[in-house]
């Protein structure tokens, strides 16, 4: 239908254009067509590249770009990926170090125009000759330590520094708390850095009586900006009390403070006021002050207020305040960012409080829209939303919507870092594995994302195994075992046991023998792995009789008698170290196989083991062996030594009888 | 809701499960034991660990007590074996103890809601069946089928879990009589006693077990209990604080710049393809900028017009003779210079200046040769023209 319309349209336009050609030919003089030359669109140097880049989507079958240089060494496990990337980063750091140590070797100007980032860094010492331009440059490059040195040098050399420059320097040192952060070039390091500093951020880290404060003191007639800078800096690093004093001082002096200063004061309301009520009054008062002073709030104000509200318990009023604030800022024309929704989610969906479905409404707002980063808290949204989908709502459809939003445009950039990404997928996997059919989960999610985009952690793996157990989908076991081997999960006792139990408990009739074969291979693999563990390992898997019994069972089911014999030898030999005993059924099966293969010696060893382990059935087994095979004198002697003459002979007698 | 109920009931049932579900192995082992009472000690007084797993029966207990009193016929071999085993047990026991360092902790006085509920439950099995029925109904489809599936699932997995206790866990619950008398016991007795202890412990520890599980449980809630309640995110009454119409946003310049930089770094991740890497390198100034411009980085030249580079003859006019070999030579120099992309205009003029000075030095000689027309002759010519 659609197609026919388009073809029809096309023929129509063709007709029109040919008509117009004819028409133009007829009265070419009369009708003058005006040619409009479009205005030139200025493109930035990266526009073409960005355009090309959008044509490439992430290929889940390929390893990440950073790993693909060396196909043989492509890492598969989480630890491996991290180690590989950090090794690359370490190489980069080593190169930086060499350049720093041998700066004189890198002064040749190979490139024209010169590439500044390849040149060795300037080192400022006591003797350096510096000018104001140097200070401007180091401030622009965010070299915090260097800026301090250059400033001191300039002072010592008796130069006058302009007020603007002093202000810029103060802002720099306050922003970074007088120390350099991770250099811009080390992207991997930032990506793999654990977000553990989130907790650390909540305590005072401001460096008291540091360069920033000294500089603040030396500024003879401080302006509003000077005060704003130091207040923002102190609040950023939780030197709350002194910031508050300066804030009051500045207000008394009648300065008009910046929006960011108010934001920073609101953000630390938790430290300034004790009770929830007092915090809320404080927020309202501060906002009122802003209104009076004619300071326009921005997104930062909104998020700061919500940040405080999100720590104020689960009561109904807090939730109402949130909605009030949202509509207040909406009427001011301030659009919420993902970070805003993050705070809303945190407030509404507490672990202890009532279940709230606010995520549905938020998703209605966000759906199919490409998001830009506007606030630093924006990167928390996706991981929190997925957490709520799983733990709060347990809603797979909603989780799918969140995941879809993550893949709109360049929204994936907002995932945060590797740590947040893996938590996001952890929630996604566990939720999906429990709520959609297992086949669908395995083919649509597991096979797509594992191992290149996400490597399931042991906890997730055990959840998947549980689902396999519930669904009796034993076909997936060989595949999962392969994956577990590549992801280094085989040293987890619980996982190994889970796999083994699933295989043992599987009673479904086998259509093909390949599964039995691979089960036997897996069981043998488990045995070999457990047997060859490093002695010094901390969490070693204990070789229990039960485990060995299960391995043996799988081997016997596949007629792997030789390997089963090895297990039996192990059981018999290491009686002292192996805890517990296998199930008697397994030993019986082993003896059956011995009988089948006419190997009385092995059977007798097994019976001896049974009797040593205190199985009452060994008498029965012995007589069975005696029944089925004709034993020689030696064997009979051994048997009778184990189970006692009487029994054997009585049996024999019975038989004879 | 139904699932939740199911969970609670299931937890309660697990404690009784052993008795309910596995009567047969007990009986079996019992029969066997009877038939072999007067046999060799090692076999007669033993029971398999697997069967004693489910030993709960009072009768078996009494049996065991009896077996204990019978002095077993020990030979040297079993003695040494037993000793070594015992030593090992003791060793392992201490290890387990050290690792199980329990520190004082505030007691959680609150009784979880689910436990409170669970206490009210009288007949677990019935509730269980009912709940399973409800769930099956909710799921729809073949209710009988799902019901039976759920029930079998609920009643089966505990055995495998118990057998999968690690050695340490078993050891934890052990109490070993360290008096020499205990050495007299046979190996099987040891094992059985140990397992017995574990079992009774486990029965005692029933109250703690579900609690441990509960810490994980309440996180996942059943989806059925949720009704999507519509919340109008922007529908609430505004606070009405910002009444001032003349609001102005002010910000610190450098601070703002640094914040923007931080935002940018927050979404700069390791490049995922070559284009992204090129973007990164371009931004770091390591690559030519697209579209390729071979004058990139020649900022000083931007203000110099190309004609200044090409038309250099004007710099000859002031000194060069209008014709003759010097003029010819200099014109060639100009052509050469005009085609040189590597020199700035100043450098080109400098070149020309150099030749000017050179010819100035050699002026006398050049005049003699006639390369420069003499002033006299030149004056004559001028006069003639006039």
């Amino acid at each position: 239908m659609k197609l026919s319309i388009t073809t029809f349209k096309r023929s129509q336009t063709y007709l029109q254009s040919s008509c117009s050609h004819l028409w133009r030919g007829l009265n070419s003089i009369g009708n003058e067509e005006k040619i409009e030359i479009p205005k030139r669109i200025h493109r930035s140097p990266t526009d073409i590249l960005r355009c090309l880049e959008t044509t490439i989507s992430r290929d889940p079958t390929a390893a990440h770009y950073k790993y693909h240089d060396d196909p043989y060494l492509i890492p598969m496990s989480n630890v491996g990926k991290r180690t590989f990337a950090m090794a690359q980063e370490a190489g980069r750091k080593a190169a930086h170090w060499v350049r720093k140590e041998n700066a004189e070797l890198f002064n040749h100007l190979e490139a024209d125009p010169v590439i500044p980032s390849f040149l060795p860094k300037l080192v400022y010492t006591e003797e350096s000759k510096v000018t104001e331009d140097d200070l401007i440059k180091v401030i622009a490059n965010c070299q915090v330590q260097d800026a301090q040195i250059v400033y001191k040098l300039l002072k010592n050399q008796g130069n006058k520094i302009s007020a603007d420059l002093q202000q810029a320097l103060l802002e720099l040192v306050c922003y970074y708390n007088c120390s350099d952060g991770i250099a811009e070039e080390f992207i991997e390091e930032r990506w793999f850095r654990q977000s553990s500093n989130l907790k650390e951020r909540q305590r005072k880290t401001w460096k008291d009586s540091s360069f920033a404060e000294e500089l603040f003191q030396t500024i003879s007639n401080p302006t509003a900006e000077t005060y704003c800078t130091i207040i923002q800096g102190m609040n950023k690093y939780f030197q709350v009390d002194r910031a508050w004093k300066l804030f009051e001082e500045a207000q008394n002096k009648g300065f008009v403070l910046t929006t960011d200063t108010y934001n920073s004061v609101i953000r630390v309301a938790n430290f300034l006021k004790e009770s929830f009520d007092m915090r809320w009054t404080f927020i309202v008062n501060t906002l009122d002050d802003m209104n009076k002073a004619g300071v326009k709030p921005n997104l930062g104000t909104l998020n700061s207020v919500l940040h405080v509200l999100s720590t104020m318990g689960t009561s109904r009023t807090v939730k109402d305040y949130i909605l009030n604030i949202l509509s207040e800022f909406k009427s001011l024309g301030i659009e919420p960012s993902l970070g805003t929704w993050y705070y809303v989610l945190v407030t509404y969906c507490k672990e202890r409080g009532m279940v709230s479905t606010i995520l549905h409404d938020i998703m209605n707002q966000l759906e199919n829209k490409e998001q830009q980063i506007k606030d630093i808290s924006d990167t928390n949204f996706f991981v929190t939303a997925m957490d709520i989908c799983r733990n709060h709502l347990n809603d797979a459809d909603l989780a799918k919507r969140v995941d879809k939003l993550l893949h709109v445009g360049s929204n994936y950039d907002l995932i945060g870092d590797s740590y947040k990404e893996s938590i996001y997928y952890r929630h996604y996997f566990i939720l999906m594995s429990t709520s959609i059919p297992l086949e669908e989960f395995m083919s649509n999610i597991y096979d797509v994302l594992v191992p290149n985009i996400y490597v399931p952690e042991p906890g997730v793996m055990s959840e998947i195994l549980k689902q396999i157990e519930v669904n009796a989908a034993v076909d997936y076991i060989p595949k999962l075992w392969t994956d577990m081997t590549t992801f280094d999960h085989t040293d987890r006792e619980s996982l190994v046991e889970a796999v083994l139990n699933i295989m043992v408990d599987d009673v479904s009739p086998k259509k093909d023998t390949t599964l039995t074969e691979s089960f036997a291979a897996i069981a043998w693999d488990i045995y070999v792995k457990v047997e060859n563990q490093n002695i010094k390992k901390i969490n070693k898997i204990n070789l229990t009789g039960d485990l060995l019994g299960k391995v043996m069972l799988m081997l016997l089911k596949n007629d792997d008698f030789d390997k089963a014999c090895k297990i039996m030898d192990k059981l018999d030999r290491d009686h002292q170290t192996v805890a517990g005993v296998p199930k008697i059924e397994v030993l019986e099966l082993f003896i059956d196989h011995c009988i089948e293969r006419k190997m009385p010696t092995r059977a007798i060893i097994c019976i001896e083991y049974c009797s040593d382990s205190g199985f009452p059935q060994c008498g029965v087994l012995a007589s069975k062996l005696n029944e089925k095979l004709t034993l020689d004198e030696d064997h009979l002697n051994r048997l009778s030594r184990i189970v006692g003459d009487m029994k054997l002979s009585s049996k024999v007698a019975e038989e004879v009888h | 809701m139904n699932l939740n109920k199911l969970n609670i009931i299931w937890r309660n049932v697990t404690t009784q499960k052993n008795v309910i579900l596995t009567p047969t192995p007990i009986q079996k082992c019992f029969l066997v034991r009877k038939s072999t009472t007067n046999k060799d000690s090692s076999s007669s007084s033993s029971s398999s660990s697997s069967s004693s797993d489910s030993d709960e029966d009072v009768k078996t207990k009494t049996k065991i007590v009896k077996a204990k009193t019978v002095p077993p016929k020990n030979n040297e071999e079993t003695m040494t074996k037993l000793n070594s085993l015992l030593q090992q047990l003791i060793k392992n026991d201490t290890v387990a103890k050290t690792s199980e360092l329990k520190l004082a902790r505030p007691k959680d006085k609150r009784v979880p809601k689910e436990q409170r509920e669970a206490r009210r439950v009288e007949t677990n099995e019935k509730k269980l069946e009912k709940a399973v029925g409800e769930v099956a109904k909710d799921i729809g489809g073949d209710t009988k089928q799902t019901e039976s599936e759920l029930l079998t699932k609920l009643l089966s997995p505990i055995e495998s879990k118990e057998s999968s206790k690690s050695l340490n866990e078993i050891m934890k619950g052990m109490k070993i009589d360290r008096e020499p008398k205990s050495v007299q016991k046979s190996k099987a007795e040891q094992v059985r006693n140990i397992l017995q202890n574990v079992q009774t412990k486990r029965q005692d520890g029933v109250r703690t077990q579900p609690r441990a599980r509960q810490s994980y449980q309440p996180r996942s809630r059943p989806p059925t209990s949720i009704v999507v309640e519509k919340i109008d995110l922007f529908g609430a009454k505004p606070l009405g604080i910002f009444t001032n119409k003349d609001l102005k946003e002010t910000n610190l310049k450098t601070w703002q710049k640094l914040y923007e930089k931080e935002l940018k770094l927050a979404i700069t991740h390791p490049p995922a393809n070559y284009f992204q890497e090129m973007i990164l390198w371009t931004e770091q100034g390591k690559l030519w900028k697209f579209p390729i411009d071979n004058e990139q980085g020649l900022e000083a030249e931007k203000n110099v017009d190309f004609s200044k580079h090409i038309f250099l003859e004007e710099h000859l006019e002031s000194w060069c003779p209008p014709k003759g070999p010097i003029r010819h030579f200099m014109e060639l120099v100009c052509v050469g210079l005009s085609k040189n992309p590597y020199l700035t205009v100043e450098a080109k003029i400098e070149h020309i200046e150099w030749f000017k000075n050179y010819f100035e030095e050699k002026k006398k000689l050049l005049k003699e040769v006639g390369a420069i027309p003499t002033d006299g002759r030149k004056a004559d010519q001028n006069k003639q023209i006039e």
Side-chain angles (χ1 to χ4, degrees):
Chain A
M1 185 66 194
K2 224 176 185 179
L3 194 80
S4 65
I5 287 175
T6 47
T7 46
F8 172 67
K9 267 190 182 165
R10 225 179 251 171
S11 60
Q12 216 177 11
T13 46
Y14 177 68
L15 209 68
Q16 273 178 350
S17 65
S18 57
C19 273
S20 65
H21 272 294
L22 201 71
W23 195 245
R24 218 181 286 156
L26 282 173
N27 40 359
S28 55
I29 311 148
N31 235 355
E32 227 176 274
E33 244 182 61
K34 206 183 165 199
I35 299 166
E36 264 185 50
I37 301 168
K39 288 249 166 67
R40 181 189 167 191
I41 305 167
H42 281 270
R43 309 280 186 193
S44 82
T46 54
D47 276 353
I48 295 171
L49 291 170
R50 275 177 212 286
C51 189
L52 287 169
E53 194 265 315
T54 54
T55 62
I56 301 176
S57 54
R58 178 84 196 260
D59 172 15
T61 60
H64 191 273
Y65 177 67
K66 63 187 155 202
Y67 304 123
H68 81 170
D69 279 342
D70 201 343
Y72 186 71
L73 293 177
I74 283 174
M76 284 298 181
S77 65
N78 277 324
V79 180
K81 284 181 179 180
R82 192 189 156 89
T83 313
F84 192 113
M86 293 323 279
Q88 268 187 334
E89 197 81 327
R92 269 177 223 127
K93 285 194 167 172
H96 276 264
W97 182 81
V98 168
R99 189 181 64 173
K100 195 179 124 212
E101 292 295 302
N102 305 294
E104 71 281 357
L105 300 179
F106 293 91
N107 276 324
H108 57 108
L109 304 174
E110 202 74 345
D112 185 24
V114 178
I115 298 168
S117 55
F118 287 166
L119 293 177
K121 294 239 157 50
L122 274 176
V123 181
Y124 295 98
T125 57
E126 300 292 317
E127 292 86 45
S128 315
K129 268 270 177 214
V130 286
T131 60
E132 222 168 276
D133 287 341
D134 289 316
L135 189 55
I136 292 171
K137 211 160 64 189
V138 290
I139 289 173
N141 291 338
C142 301
Q143 293 160 275
V144 186
Q145 300 282 6
D146 285 344
Q148 294 173 35
I149 296 169
V150 172
Y151 177 79
K152 278 175 192 158
L153 285 174
L154 280 173
K155 275 270 159 190
N156 291 343
Q157 288 163 17
N159 292 7
K160 190 113 176 65
I161 297 158
S162 73
D164 279 350
L165 199 53
Q166 263 185 339
Q167 172 63 23
L169 179 63
L170 183 64
E171 283 172 33
L172 178 78
V173 291
C174 281
Y175 193 92
Y176 286 112
N177 199 11
C178 304
S179 52
D180 285 311
I182 296 179
E184 231 172 294
E185 295 110 304
F186 301 125
I187 295 169
E188 290 293 350
E189 192 176 344
R190 248 182 293 114
W191 174 247
F192 278 104
R193 186 176 45 174
Q194 300 268 309
S195 321
S196 56
N197 55 358
L198 213 118
K199 276 176 215 148
E200 227 167 89
R201 253 191 266 149
Q202 288 297 328
R203 59 177 182 80
K204 197 208 102 176
T205 43
W206 175 259
K207 289 175 189 154
D208 286 315
S209 59
S210 61
F211 177 80
E213 285 179 34
E214 270 171 44
L215 184 62
F216 179 70
Q217 302 292 343
T218 54
I219 294 174
S220 44
N221 40 353
T223 58
E225 271 102 49
T226 326
Y227 270 100
C228 287
T229 314
I230 195 91
I231 292 167
Q232 281 174 220
M234 281 180 173
N235 275 335
K236 189 167 189 246
Y237 296 98
F238 297 102
Q239 175 48 278
V240 179
D241 299 329
R242 294 181 53 206
W244 179 246
K245 269 184 204 141
L246 287 166
F247 181 69
E248 283 183 324
E249 197 180 315
Q251 280 193 320
N252 289 338
K253 286 189 180 177
F255 287 138
V256 176
L257 301 174
T258 61
T259 313
D260 279 346
T261 313
Y262 282 105
N263 297 350
S264 74
V265 171
I266 290 171
R267 187 164 275 271
V268 294
N270 288 354
F271 296 85
L272 292 168
K273 303 289 170 199
E274 284 284 323
S275 76
F276 294 163
D277 290 340
M278 280 161 79
R279 282 183 208 167
W280 176 245
T281 355
F282 175 76
I283 290 171
V284 173
N285 289 341
T286 316
L287 292 178
D288 220 28
D289 285 348
M290 287 174 83
N291 181 47
K292 277 180 198 148
V295 177
K296 190 178 185 336
N298 58 13
L299 182 67
T301 323
L302 174 60
N303 286 347
S304 301
V305 172
L306 292 186
H307 168 75
V308 177
L309 283 173
S310 72
T311 60
M312 276 168 48
T314 55
S315 73
R316 183 76 225 161
T317 44
V318 175
K319 295 176 183 173
D320 290 340
Y321 289 153
I322 290 236
L323 292 183
N324 291 341
I325 285 285
L326 278 175
S327 56
E328 172 87 20
F329 277 81
K330 181 86 176 173
S331 62
L332 283 167
I334 294 160
E335 281 295 321
S337 72
L338 284 182
T340 315
W341 301 125
Y342 157 70
Y343 289 123
V344 171
L345 281 178
V346 170
T347 319
Y348 268 80
C349 306
K350 298 247 190 218
E351 211 170 300
R352 297 255 164 109
M354 281 194 6
V355 176
S356 167
T357 57
I358 197 158
L359 186 56
H360 282 274
D361 305 283
I362 293 172
M363 283 311 292
N364 290 342
Q365 292 278 330
L366 295 173
E367 209 125 56
N368 296 328
K369 282 183 198 155
E370 189 169 352
Q371 305 292 326
Q372 301 293 330
I373 190 160
K374 292 185 215 150
D375 192 275
I376 205 74
S377 59
D378 286 1
T379 52
N380 293 326
F381 175 78
F382 283 107
V383 61
T384 311
M386 195 46 83
D387 181 21
I388 281 158
C389 283
R390 178 193 154 203
N391 292 325
H392 197 76
L393 300 169
N394 201 5
D395 189 338
D397 291 330
L398 198 58
K400 279 182 194 161
R401 284 169 71 187
V402 172
D403 194 57
K404 200 166 154 237
L405 177 68
L406 179 67
H407 292 93
V408 170
S410 57
N411 283 358
Y412 204 91
D413 285 343
L414 291 160
I415 191 79
D417 50 32
S418 77
Y419 182 65
K420 287 195 184 111
E421 189 189 37
S422 69
I423 292 177
Y424 173 88
Y425 279 118
R426 191 184 304 163
H427 292 318
Y428 185 57
F429 262 58
I430 292 181
L431 175 61
M432 285 303 171
S433 70
T434 50
S435 43
I436 62 174
L438 190 69
E439 292 81 42
E440 198 186 322
F441 169 76
M442 290 303 286
S443 61
N444 291 355
I445 295 175
Y446 188 92
D447 288 345
V448 174
L449 296 176
V450 176
N452 288 318
I453 295 177
Y454 169 65
V455 172
E457 292 91 350
V460 179
M461 204 43 118
S462 88
E463 204 70 28
I464 295 170
L465 285 174
K466 240 181 250 169
Q467 289 307 315
I468 285 179
E469 200 184 354
V470 170
N471 290 294
V474 283
D475 311 11
Y476 291 119
I477 286 291
K479 177 188 164 49
L480 278 184
W481 177 254
T482 320
D483 283 354
M484 282 165 68
T485 316
T486 45
F487 305 155
D488 298 336
H489 286 176
T490 46
D491 50 357
R492 303 279 174 144
E493 192 159 3
S494 57
L495 289 180
V496 169
E497 256 160 21
V499 170
L500 212 48
N501 286 336
I502 292 170
M503 294 195 304
V504 170
D505 292 344
D506 170 46
V507 283
S508 60
K510 293 279 164 346
K511 284 189 200 82
D512 54 338
T513 50
T514 47
L515 204 57
T516 330
E517 261 169 41
S518 49
F519 278 7
I522 292 170
W524 182 250
D525 199 21
I526 289 175
Y527 169 70
V528 171
K529 284 213 162 75
V530 174
E531 182 73 358
N532 299 331
Q533 281 176 110
N534 191 348
I535 304 163
K536 284 176 188 161
K537 238 184 106 217
I538 302 162
N539 289 321
K540 279 209 315 187
I541 300 182
N542 290 313
L543 205 57
T544 60
D546 190 49
L547 185 136
L548 286 173
K550 281 170 182 167
V551 170
M552 194 150 91
L553 180 65
M554 296 324 294
L555 291 171
L556 288 175
K557 273 188 184 173
N558 191 37
D559 268 351
D560 258 336
F561 187 68
D562 293 343
K563 282 175 182 168
C565 285
K566 276 182 192 151
I567 305 276
M568 192 62 235
D569 288 346
K570 169 85 184 166
L571 274 172
D572 193 43
R573 190 163 20 91
D574 295 342
H575 217 174
Q576 317 282 331
T577 51
V578 174
V581 286
K583 286 209 175 68
I584 186 68
E585 290 82 7
V586 181
L587 298 173
E588 276 168 5
L589 188 67
F590 181 74
I591 290 172
D592 288 346
H593 274 262
C594 290
I595 293 169
E596 210 174 283
R597 287 185 166 74
K598 300 204 174 15
M599 292 174 130
T601 323
R602 289 223 170 267
I604 287 167
I605 289 170
C606 183
I607 290 171
E608 195 172 11
Y609 175 78
C610 289
S611 102
D612 282 350
S613 316
F615 285 113
Q617 290 94 327
C618 62
V620 183
L621 290 173
S623 57
K624 190 174 165 192
L625 180 68
N626 198 12
E627 242 169 69
K628 293 276 167 69
L629 295 177
T630 37
L631 301 173
D632 60 20
E633 196 67 14
D634 193 26
H635 287 141
L636 273 176
N637 278 341
R638 277 178 70 188
L639 259 189
S640 61
R641 222 181 302 136
I642 299 160
V643 292
D645 268 330
M646 215 167 74
K647 197 166 169 197
L648 257 188
S649 56
S650 75
K651 287 278 174 188
V652 173
E654 255 173 53
E655 218 170 277
V656 170
H657 197 67
Chain B
M1 187 59 208
N2 287 335
L3 273 178
N4 229 351
K5 221 190 275 172
L6 213 63
N7 259 333
I8 298 154
I9 297 161
W10 180 66
R11 247 177 270 141
N12 274 15
V13 170
T14 48
T15 61
Q16 307 171 0
K17 270 252 334 276
N18 295 326
V19 188
I20 303 164
L21 297 171
T22 51
T24 36
I26 297 166
Q27 285 164 358
K28 211 200 282 172
C29 101
F30 212 65
L31 285 172
V32 174
R33 201 172 296 145
K34 262 185 189 162
S35 68
T36 58
T37 24
N38 291 329
K39 290 273 153 28
D40 184 312
S41 68
S42 60
S43 67
S44 69
S45 56
S46 58
S47 76
S48 74
S49 70
S50 58
S51 59
S52 64
D53 249 358
S54 47
D55 271 10
E56 284 301 317
D57 212 324
V58 188
K59 277 188 199 168
T60 32
K61 268 187 192 165
T62 54
K63 264 282 168 196
I64 294 155
V65 174
K66 264 186 206 164
K68 244 189 239 170
T69 52
V70 176
K73 290 178 258 169
N74 286 321
N75 51 18
E76 289 249 316
E77 202 185 20
T78 42
M79 271 293 275
T80 48
K81 249 188 186 176
L82 276 175
N83 279 336
S84 64
L85 180 68
L86 260 184
Q87 260 168 6
Q88 215 180 336
L89 284 175
I90 291 159
K91 222 189 339 184
N92 277 332
D93 193 29
T94 49
V95 169
K97 263 183 189 165
T98 48
S99 67
E100 265 294 291
L101 181 65
K102 272 190 187 151
L103 297 168
R105 256 190 219 157
K107 214 172 163 188
D108 190 10
K109 277 177 193 159
R110 254 181 307 168
V111 183
K113 202 177 160 193
E114 277 151 333
Q115 256 193 10
R116 255 183 281 144
E117 247 174 26
R119 268 180 210 156
R120 267 181 252 139
V121 177
E122 295 136 4
T123 50
N124 290 322
E125 276 100 320
K126 274 199 179 155
K127 285 258 175 184
L128 178 72
E129 267 171 56
K130 214 179 121 200
V132 165
E134 277 175 281
V135 170
K137 227 181 274 171
D138 279 358
I139 292 166
D142 192 353
T143 44
K144 272 274 166 336
Q145 170 90 19
T146 40
E147 208 176 316
S148 66
E149 273 174 14
L150 279 173
L151 275 175
T152 47
K153 187 65 222 158
L154 280 174
L155 300 178
S156 62
I158 196 71
E159 203 179 24
S160 58
K161 260 181 202 161
E162 250 159 33
S163 60
S164 65
K165 288 267 183 265
S166 71
L167 180 60
N168 270 349
E169 253 171 295
I170 294 172
M171 294 304 177
K172 256 184 251 165
M174 284 184 188
K175 257 190 199 160
I176 295 170
D177 203 352
R178 287 201 178 83
E179 283 167 44
K181 208 170 75 184
S182 65
V183 185
Q184 304 282 309
K185 285 180 201 166
S186 74
K187 191 163 71 181
E189 283 250 348
Q190 289 276 349
V191 173
R192 188 139 30 95
N193 280 350
I194 287 160
L195 288 167
Q196 199 87 51
N197 277 338
V198 171
Q199 216 105 80
T200 45
K201 268 277 162 67
R202 223 176 272 158
Q203 282 256 305
D204 296 343
V206 160
R207 288 189 64 203
T208 54
Q209 218 175 15
R211 198 178 279 174
R213 220 181 267 156
Q214 259 166 5
S215 66
Y216 171 75
Q217 210 62 40
R219 301 199 76 202
S220 60
R221 294 171 208 231
T224 44
S225 66
I226 293 168
V227 181
V228 177
E229 161 202 12
K230 195 123 180 57
I231 299 169
D232 190 357
L233 293 168
F234 302 108
K237 205 168 125 284
L239 288 170
I241 291 173
F242 290 99
T243 48
N244 197 339
K245 289 277 173 278
D246 191 28
L247 292 173
K248 221 169 65 192
E249 194 181 334
T250 50
N251 273 320
L252 302 169
K253 237 187 321 160
T254 312
W255 187 282
Q256 193 64 26
K257 226 170 59 199
L258 295 173
Y259 185 63
E260 271 155 23
K261 190 181 155 186
E262 199 182 327
L263 287 184
K264 194 162 181 308
L265 286 181
I267 53 164
T268 307
H269 302 316
N273 54 51
Y274 189 60
F275 290 124
Q276 287 189 8
E277 196 162 45
M278 281 173 85
I279 292 170
L280 197 74
W281 285 343
T282 311
E283 280 166 359
Q284 290 172 347
K286 293 175 187 169
L287 276 190
W288 286 100
K289 287 174 185 155
F290 274 114
I292 299 293
D293 172 10
N294 60 2
E295 287 173 21
Q296 183 187 321
L298 304 174
E299 307 308 329
E301 284 296 299
K302 279 271 155 64
N303 305 319
V304 182
D305 197 73
F306 82 100
S307 58
K308 298 265 185 275
H309 276 280
I310 289 171
F311 302 117
L312 296 164
E313 279 81 2
E314 57 174 327
H315 303 291
L316 304 181
E317 296 310 323
S318 56
W319 60 272
C320 199
K323 59 181 183 186
I326 290 181
R327 180 79 194 188
H328 186 65
F329 175 77
M330 281 317 293
E331 270 169 5
L332 285 176
V333 167
C334 286
V335 169
L337 285 173
S338 74
K339 287 182 178 176
N340 189 336
Y342 300 105
L343 297 176
T344 59
V345 175
E346 284 76 43
K348 288 178 183 177
I349 293 170
E350 216 170 88
H351 259 87
I352 295 167
E353 287 291 303
W354 186 87
F355 283 112
K356 181 188 166 192
N357 294 336
Y358 180 81
F359 290 129
E360 200 63 44
E361 275 168 32
K362 313 275 181 212
K363 202 173 179 180
K364 206 177 149 200
L365 180 70
L366 290 171
K367 266 187 186 162
E368 274 170 24
V369 176
I372 300 175
T374 48
D375 288 347
R377 223 188 273 169
K378 209 180 177 180
D380 288 348
Q381 276 176 351
N382 286 350
K383 266 177 198 169
Q384 274 175 4
I385 288 163
E386 276 168 17

